[in-house]
Amino acid sequence: MTPRRAGTTKPIRLSRVINPTDRAPARLVVLASGTGSLLRALIAATTDAGYPAEVVAVGVDRTCAATGHADAAGVPWFTVAPGDYARRADWDRALTAAVRGYHPDLVVTAGFMRLLGPAFLGEYQGRIVNSHPALLPSFPGAHGVADALAYGVKITGATVHLVDEGVDTGPILAQEAVPVHPDDDEATLHERIKVVERRLLADVVAAVVRHGVVSDGRKARISW
Ligand SMILES: Nc1nc2c(c(=O)[nH]1)N[C@@H](CN(C=O)c1ccc(C(=O)N[C@@H](CCC(=O)O)C(=O)O)cc1)CN2
Ligand SMILES: NCC(=O)N[C@@H]1O[C@H](COP(=O)([O-])[O-])[C@@H](O)[C@H]1O
């Protein structure tokens, strides 16, 4: 049965890509590469009464401050660094195996600066949520804030999306606009975006866990 939205002629073929998690709390593995303020905010959100998920592990690809937030919260962490592997595919498989060991319901990439490969996507695609500091499809990639600033946009924002094999091309779950101020530099603009990301990511993760996601592969929506 493919639900037909009012006003459309072509049925949208939706398939449920994430079911509401019947295991409470849902198990989150968070991947990070940097200062980890999104991780810290997500960990804080999980301590709120009724939040439907917990961070069971943090994975990093390099030495970074994110592991300090994991330690402070008593969350185990692990490092899988590309430089420790002869081939990218070996790293991809090693990261997949490390994450598998924590049996996640959902993987969250929060400032994780590596592209997940076929092995990881083969196991977790549809259950990987990423936060990006721009309004996709504008300004994808590792430098979204700098690129938006250089372009001269007046409005940018944050995007939370499912991760696929492309670079920030996965189905979008939520977005929120953030104004660019005339005197902004990359750091001031990025921090203004991160304030939004820290809330939006936690809210979207909770909604995905509670309600699941349906998608036709290009579009996704949380099935409230
Ligand atoms: N398969 C995917 N993996 C990841 C995605 C994605 O959309 N598809 N999103 C990223 C996070 N991200 C943007 O939100 C992102 C991070 C890094 C890069 C990138 O080009 N990385 C380079 C190396 C960068 C570096 O560490 O020097 C690379 O991996 O070769 C693009 C987008 C999480 N993973
Ligand atoms: N394309 C990936 C990317 O740019 N991710 C971005 O890294 C920052 C991590 O902040 P944090 O280290 O303070 O959590 C966040 O703004 C996140 O969107």
Side-chain angles (χ1 to χ4, degrees), residues 11-154:
I12 299 173
R13 190 168 303 284
L14 297 176
S15 59
R16 184 175 290 282
V17 291
I18 299 179
N19 291 313
T21 308
D22 52 11
R23 172 163 60 183
R27 297 171 62 87
L28 308 178
V29 169
V30 182
L31 302 180
S33 300
T35 55
S37 75
L38 270 61
L39 166 67
R40 183 178 53 198
L42 187 54
I43 290 173
T46 64
T47 64
D48 294 345
Y51 194 84
E54 62 179 346
V55 179
V56 298
V58 174
V60 297
D61 64 320
R62 66 193 77 178
T63 301
C64 58
T67 57
H69 301 309
D71 283 338
V75 174
W77 57 270
F78 58 88
T79 303
V80 183
D84 294 342
Y85 300 86
R87 297 179 307 148
R88 185 83 179 213
D90 296 333
W91 170 81
D92 184 34
R93 281 189 288 270
L95 181 65
T96 306
V99 169
R100 185 188 300 126
Y102 290 94
H103 310 288
D105 295 296
L106 213 54
V107 177
V108 179
T109 49
F112 186 64
M113 301 307 287
R114 296 290 173 185
L115 296 179
L116 298 165
F120 199 96
L121 295 170
E123 190 147 335
Y124 294 111
Q125 185 160 351
R127 294 191 284 146
I128 311 166
V129 174
N130 180 54
S131 185
H132 182 73
L135 292 177
L136 294 173
S138 298
F139 313 117
H143 311 288
V145 177
D147 293 344
L149 202 57
Y151 193 94
V153 298
K154 305 306 180 189

Side-chain angles (χ1 to χ4, degrees), residues 175-197:
Q175 293 187 297
E176 188 167 323
V178 174
V180 181
H181 294 173
D183 58 348
D184 267 329
D185 59 20
E186 182 182 353
T188 58
L189 177 55
H190 200 168
E191 180 53 32
R192 191 175 310 117
I193 296 169
K194 285 187 185 183
V195 169
V196 169
E197 288 185 276

